[in-house]
Amino acid sequence: MTIIHISAECYPVAKVGGLADVVGALPKYQNSPEVSSQVIMPFYNNKFTKENVFNTIYSNQISLGNTLVNFNVLTLKENKLEFDTFFIDIPELLFKDYVYSSDDTERFLSFQIAVLDWMLSWEKYPDIIHCHDHHTGLIPFMLQESYNYEAFRKIPNILTIHNAQYQGWFPHLKVGLIPPFNFNHVGLLDWGGTINPLAAAIKCAWHVTTVSPSYMEELKLAANGLESLLSAESDKCSGILNGIDSHVWNPETDHYIIKNYNIKTVKAGAEANKKYLCDTFNLDFEKPLFAFIGRLVDEKGSDLFPEVFKLALEKNNLNILLLGSGNSFVEQQLEALKKDYIGTYNAFIGYDEKLSHIIYSGADFLLMPSRVEPCGLNQMYALRYGTIPIVRSIGGLKDTVTDISKKDGFGICHNNATVLEITNAIDRGINLYNDQPKYKKIRKKIMEIDHSWDVSAEEYIKLYNSIN
Ligand SMILES: Nc1ncnc2c1ncn2[C@@H]1O[C@H](COP(=O)(O)OP(=O)(O)O[C@H]2O[C@H](CO)[C@@H](O)[C@H](O)[C@H]2O)[C@@H](O)[C@H]1O
């Protein structure tokens, strides 16, 4: 079976968030003697593409409306990834030092057309086409409706929704950019009077998955306008929980962290990493360290942090360290807080993969007060590194973290994303930290939880077989 994943991000080539982690791991775990799982993604102008050498295996032109656009398909000369990866190089549109921008309609539409045009030249077509998020959401529509791609009509295709907040909307005025199709079916592109690639994919894909079972149920109630569509299509929808790449995210071998450790050596290992963080960010080693890593957007509850942090830091019994970027007003507030709590608070506004690994290993608690969390990978990384997650019970967080008050519980959960509930949850964390025997027992227990991709990758294979 040949599976083609089509995505805007893939770790370690290009990462903005969790989409990259999933697309960079799932194919590895799907590959077997019977299965070849491959990735097609855009060719960006970034660190990875600068540091690697590529071969051009195909060149052609696509029509984007009336404009002819040149594209190349590239492969790595020396592929160190554990799956075949193909890069669509469209010099004037995709080859930028960013992944997303304001002209994404043209950028990702040209990417999707180039992928399908190139696939037409293949001797053997793939068995499954697996699309990720709205950037590839017009592919299920084009496979079903575009005259150019009639040869692909029988290939089962899947859409995975990593985040339904973003839908890729663009006005009907631009419909001419999409390759010719039966215009009687133009309604398939529409949702609420505009072209909505995510909605089109939900309508046309053979099956739709979300990255956790709870998120699928929640989307039927709140999906940024797509609730009724997801309810109507629910027969072909299901949730499959993400896994983590337990080779990349392994405290025993992680080359980013200061000291490696396993379940037996976690005390010394976690302490060495915490010490590094305290020295680097001027924090107090003796106090528990609460951390946040992620995009500073409302979905993650980050707008609540300035108030939450002030209230918590006033008590002077903890440290807080934040790594993230996003909303500039929140960024400014978090920066401004630094001068008031020197010695117990710090924030690194930006993106830093290495630092994120050190934080997962050196922090005592990881905060995730998300308003929306389709799956969430951070809590699973935290568990593997022995850092106790403090989460709002929503989406994938609800599916992966059980409160310590329950039988076999190991995390701290709260029901609402409010300042009061988050500060209460932090207080519960401090109480747990002060009970060191209990804290250490839980730390060992969470490191044993297995969230590797093995189970979920198999679930996807079963799904492909069922729709084939
Ligand atoms: N400033 C920074 N510096 C370094 N690393 C940073 C960083 N900000 C974020 N990261 C990293 O990016 C990843 C974020 O993963 P998430 O699952 O939390 O996020 P995201 O919301 O992007 O993904 C969406 O897709 C994923 C995958 O399906 C779902 O789990 C999730 O719920 C959904 O919102 C983690 O690897 C994290 O360490």
Side-chain angles (χ1 to χ4, degrees), residues 126 155 167 212 288-289 304 314 331 391 421 424 456:
I155 304 178
Q167 299 170 7
S212 71
L289 174 55
L304 303 170
E314 276 305 317
E331 286 182 359
V391 306
E421 292 203 21
N424 282 343
S456 306

Side-chain angles (χ1 to χ4, degrees), residues 15 17-18 21 162 242 295 300 350 352 360 373-378:
K15 171 168 167 177
D21 291 14
H162 297 259
N242 282 337
R295 295 179 293 116
K300 303 282 182 196
D352 190 326
Y360 288 119
E373 197 59 82
C375 175
L377 299 167
N378 303 17

Side-chain angles (χ1 to χ4, degrees), residues 47-93:
K47 188 165 176 282
F48 185 93
T49 56
K50 283 188 188 109
E51 286 174 356
N52 285 276
V53 182
F54 296 83
N55 292 324
T56 301
I57 57 163
Y58 185 82
S59 297
N60 210 332
Q61 289 185 317
I62 57 157
S63 300
L64 190 63
N66 294 326
T67 313
L68 286 178
V69 179
N70 294 323
F71 78 96
N72 306 299
V73 181
L74 313 179
T75 53
L76 280 158
K77 194 158 187 186
E78 218 185 303
N79 187 2
K80 293 188 204 113
L81 311 173
E82 290 164 61
F83 46 87
D84 289 336
T85 312
F86 301 94
F87 301 86
I88 302 294
D89 173 28
I90 304 184
E92 65 267 44
L93 287 169

